[in-house]
Amino acid sequence: MLPLTEIRKSPQLLLLAMAFVMPLVFSVWMALLNNFVVEKANFTGAEIGMLQSLREVPGFLAFTAVFVLLVVKEQTFALVSLLVMSIGVAVTGFLPFEIGLYCTTVLMSVGFHYFETINQSLTLQWLEKDKAAHFMGQQLAVKSFASLFAYGSIWVLMEWIGIDYTAMYMLAGGFGIILIVMMWSFFERFEQPSIQHKHMLMRKRYWLYYALTFFGGARRQIFMVFASFMMVEKFGYSVGEVSLLFIINYVFNLLFAAKIGRWISRVGERRALSVEYIGLILVFVSYAMVTDPIIAAALYVIDHLFFAMAIAMKTYFQKIADPKDIASTAGVAFTINHIAAVVIPAALGIVWLTSPGLVFYIGAGFAVCSLLLAYNIPDTPAEGVEVRFNFKGWANKVAPRSS
């Protein structure tokens, strides 16, 4: 057990503490959302669609985080972002009407997306490259524990004790605010290893990371939107059964995420991502053909587990990046990811109306593209050795340090 003085000086423990608070608060918001907007605000599909679109807009604006860093430091920005998210969740229950819910959703989402951007930047800056993958696995495990705690709290407080939506949102957001204030006052202000660029940038030599990020976002949307929808529409899973699948997913992450991170450190990014993408190809093709609800549930759990391997994408970038580029590139990557988040559900939703199976074959196609891209990751990525082959097909022995 570390003494308090050592805990205060540990940036890794601050990262883990923030990794606990974010899903604890956000999971309550997400778990209650659909029931709350229908029962209290009489939402139809049109209003919930607008709300979800508004929720994704701040993801497009993640690149603007670098401009905020002109006036505040990253550690402060991360905690303030968490605070904004928690306030958004805390006041949600007090505004159970259309405009009110749009406003609280945007407020919550601004904090959420800025935090995710800065948290990734701090993680890649504060950790040594040979320890980053294992630590990111530990972060996933902590996030899973927090989500399980949130779901359990909802069940106990709302089903057994009988508190209402307003109280539950207030408790979740208020608890988050208290924990953030404690982190603010307890942990030291940590110095950054490198002074970050305070302007938006995109470098040619990061093109492979950008491409992997885009296709990763596209595949994730198919999982989050259409795999879940299939469980309900095709197989008739109830709310409780879908929630049970989420709980199983979180338990698996809690048990195996850190081990997956350690495995990535051992085998390298190219092999780890190749295993993920080959697995996802098989999963998506199986989604298109599955007729048994139990097999579909197993595929759903396996699909979620593969996403833990996306840690390798972040550690690949950490190894090739100029340390001064990390904050700016984290914002750009989050924006690229959200291009898919907005375009894919709308476009494939039309395809779903005529051929649900085709949606998953398209997802397999995205995974094939990712697999081909992953083949271009070097055995030992580093600055100047970002890819195995350049655009002309020659081995990339030496690459320029900047764009």
Side-chain angles (χ1 to χ4, degrees), residues 233-251:
E233 183 186 65
K234 184 174 181 178
F235 298 109
Y237 274 65
S238 67
V239 173
E241 289 167 333
V242 173
S243 298
L244 180 60
L245 286 177
F246 274 107
I247 291 172
I248 293 171
N249 288 339
Y250 289 132
V251 170

Side-chain angles (χ1 to χ4, degrees), residues 179-197:
L179 292 177
I180 294 160
V181 171
M182 290 173 62
M183 286 189 284
W184 181 283
S185 59
F186 180 75
F187 284 97
E188 294 185 356
R189 301 295 179 263
F190 302 111
E191 294 297 323
Q192 298 303 109
S194 301
I195 302 299
Q196 295 296 293
H197 291 300

Side-chain angles (χ1 to χ4, degrees), residues 247-266:
I247 291 172
I248 293 171
N249 288 339
Y250 289 132
V251 170
F252 268 75
N253 269 352
L254 182 62
L255 296 176
F256 299 113
K259 294 181 176 65
I260 290 173
R262 191 181 299 114
W263 174 75
I264 291 170
S265 296
R266 188 170 65 251

Side-chain angles (χ1 to χ4, degrees), residues 221-233:
Q221 286 304 309
I222 292 177
F223 168 74
M224 293 181 66
V225 177
F226 297 105
S228 299
F229 190 63
M230 178 188 69
M231 303 304 292
V232 176
E233 183 186 65

Side-chain angles (χ1 to χ4, degrees), residues 215-216 218-220 222-223 272-288 299-310 313 360-368 370-371:
F215 282 108
R219 291 191 322 278
R220 190 175 189 87
I222 292 177
F223 168 74
L273 289 174
S274 295
V275 169
E276 178 191 356
Y277 300 145
I278 291 170
L280 288 173
I281 292 168
L282 297 174
V283 167
F284 279 127
V285 171
S286 299
Y287 274 148
L299 290 171
Y300 191 81
V301 173
I302 293 169
D303 193 351
H304 186 272
L305 189 61
F306 274 125
F307 277 105
M309 295 185 186
M313 196 188 311
F360 295 118
Y361 285 126
I362 292 172
F366 288 150
V368 169
S370 296
L371 180 61

